Amino acid sequence: MTDTPFTPRVFSGIQPSGNLTLGNYLGAVRRFVEMQNSGIETIYCMVDLHAITVWQDPTDLRRHTRELAAAYLACGLDPQKSILFNQSQVPAHAQLGWVLNCVTRLGWMNRMTQFKDKAGKNAEKMSLGLYAYPSLMAADILAYKATHIPVGEDQKQHVELTRDIAAKFNHDFKVDFFPEPEPIIDGAGTRVMSLRDGTKKMSKSDPSDLSRINMMDDADTIAKKIRKAKTDPEPLPDNLDDLADRPEARNLINIYAGISGQTPADVITQVAGQQFGQFKPLLADLAVAHLSPIADEMRRLMGDVSEIDRILGDGANRAAEIAEPILAEAYDIVGFVRSR
Ligand code: AQP
């Protein structure tokens, strides 16, 4: 991590917009746990305000929020060490979000590729919230003056936008108030691709359940999804360069590397020459051995929803204690009268 004049503080979040996937786990949650255990202050959110930028059934949203909390805990986040909460319980996110909407330029928003990907040809029918999502994300980060943001590759552009928004706020008001946070993106799992199409990101909201491994999938389901994963007829080569035009094969090697904690280069030398009929069972065994204990723990935690709600409430109180004074100072800088 590079030096910053601001106290190092980690913030990140995940949308409770479906079942947590292996992509979210390798790209984000695993890094969250490493950063928690590195001794820096860590704040991790279930970003439910972001989730509703596309339609969420209210009952599903509540369940997914609690399941995401259970996943955080089952993967090793500790509510004594990290602040864990759902975004809507801390109003400072939405309040600072509005101020930042007024700092953010439309031209910047028009460059956001995730909106284009999600909206596709239906941009006119999308919510205003989906368009404004990145400036709310900037508020999530800046409400804590967070300096380091562990995310998957797909969120890099949004963290870069946050830097631009922070810089413009500081410049417009002639202050050095917000840090310009740094995305933390590394390792083999920063861009896990769909099991059905190696050129598309693995995503919670992909209509095909076969495209992803969900953290709550049982062993048979994981093995079946890997068996059915799209591949090509060639055996695995002995170097990564030869995978350049084989996105599905490259993805499975990356997943193996991400789960096992090895580099893709190490993995390819171990499995060189194998057909997918040999490699897929190896990958399935590895994935099941690693993910099954997490899924079991998630199921156990979901058996006591009131304890999850207690952890989220406590985390929200601690988060609000940090965010509210920062919001108040931002309001003062902007020139709002505060008299209550
Ligand atoms: N396929 C992925 N590979 C690596 N990292 C990923 N992340 C998401 N998908 C992958 C990372 O997970 C974190 C949480 O993402 P999010 O839920 O806030 O939003 P998202 O990036 O839009 O994730 P999804 O799964 O695709 O959700 P939906 O389908 O609801 O849009 C982020 O750090 C992200 O980089």
Side-chain angles (χ1 to χ4, degrees):
M1 294 195 303
T2 53
D3 285 342
T4 154
F6 291 85
T7 308
R9 181 177 277 157
V10 172
F11 177 93
S12 198
I14 296 184
Q15 299 181 76
S17 47
N19 299 309
L20 196 76
T21 71
L22 182 67
N24 301 131
Y25 172 66
L26 293 178
V29 184
R30 228 170 47 171
R31 187 66 24 81
F32 296 0
V33 178
E34 283 164 18
M35 295 190 94
Q36 163 189 271
N37 296 336
S38 73
I40 313 170
E41 184 178 21
T42 43
I43 305 173
Y44 298 123
C45 193
M46 283 120 257
V47 287
D48 47 11
L49 299 178
H50 287 281
I52 65 161
T53 55
V54 298
W55 168 251
Q56 303 293 332
D57 173 84
T59 306
D60 289 345
L61 179 61
R62 259 185 293 275
R63 181 170 52 82
H64 287 142
T65 303
R66 290 172 175 141
E67 273 178 8
L68 182 54
Y72 278 8
L73 297 168
C75 292
L77 291 181
D78 176 349
Q80 304 300 322
K81 292 188 189 162
S82 292
I83 297 179
L84 308 178
F85 69 105
N86 58 312
Q87 186 187 22
S88 60
Q89 295 211 70
V90 180
H93 291 243
Q95 292 168 301
L96 183 61
W98 181 257
V99 173
L100 299 186
N101 277 346
C102 300
V103 172
T104 307
R105 302 295 93 181
L106 280 180
W108 300 353
M109 301 300 283
N110 287 338
R111 287 201 291 272
M112 294 298 108
T113 55
Q114 193 177 71
F115 178 79
K116 290 179 195 157
D117 290 347
K118 288 196 174 178
K121 293 195 174 68
N122 294 319
E124 296 286 316
K125 296 206 172 101
M126 292 296 133
S127 72
L128 180 56
L130 186 67
Y131 188 70
Y133 179 121
S135 82
L136 177 60
M137 178 165 157
D140 301 334
I141 294 167
L142 298 177
Y144 301 92
K145 295 193 176 183
T147 53
H148 296 89
I149 318 300
V151 283
E153 185 66 43
D154 62 314
Q155 292 293 339
K156 184 169 182 233
Q157 192 185 37
H158 290 166
V159 182
E160 285 168 354
L161 178 79
T162 300
R163 294 169 65 87
D164 291 342
I165 295 172
K168 181 161 166 54
F169 181 96
N170 290 344
H171 176 266
D172 288 354
F173 294 102
K174 300 184 178 49
V175 290
D176 190 14
F177 185 64
F178 286 129
E180 291 180 34
E182 191 191 326
I184 306 290
I185 304 170
D186 52 29
T190 55
R191 191 162 174 81
V192 178
M193 309 309 279
S194 159
L195 298 179
R196 307 302 297 165
D197 177 350
T199 62
K200 257 176 68 184
K201 188 184 80 140
M202 182 180 285
S203 193
K204 294 182 218 90
S205 55
D206 191 302
S208 165
D209 193 53
L210 284 176
S211 70
R212 63 179 160 262
I213 293 174
N214 303 307
M215 295 302 287
M216 288 268 252
D217 282 345
D218 61 28
D220 288 348
T221 308
I222 293 173
K224 183 182 85 182
K225 287 179 176 176
I226 292 175
R227 205 168 50 243
K228 287 183 173 275
K230 185 177 167 200
T231 42
D232 56 49
E234 301 300 317
L236 285 160
D238 60 6
N239 68 85
L240 294 176
D241 290 345
D242 289 352
L243 289 180
D245 298 327
R246 298 172 64 186
E248 285 83 16
R250 170 84 210 206
N251 188 37
L252 295 188
I253 293 292
N254 279 350
I255 291 176
Y256 193 100
I259 298 178
S260 66
Q262 302 176 78
T263 64
D266 285 343
V267 174
I268 201 77
T269 53
Q270 289 159 30
V271 300
Q274 289 191 9
Q275 296 287 347
F276 284 101
Q278 277 172 287
F279 177 64
K280 281 180 170 179
L282 285 184
L283 177 59
D285 287 349
L286 178 78
V288 167
H290 191 89
L291 300 178
S292 289
I294 297 175
D296 290 347
E297 179 62 1
M298 283 175 69
R299 284 188 204 95
R300 190 189 71 74
L301 290 162
M302 284 301 286
D304 187 358
V305 164
S306 61
E307 174 59 9
I308 290 180
D309 290 2
R310 189 197 63 72
I311 290 170
L312 295 182
D314 177 62
N317 286 335
R318 287 157 59 208
E321 270 174 36
I322 301 172
E324 281 169 5
I326 293 174
L327 176 72
E329 222 184 312
Y331 273 19
D332 288 342
I333 290 169
V334 168
F336 293 156
V337 173
R338 292 192 303 118
S339 57
R340 56 181 276 260

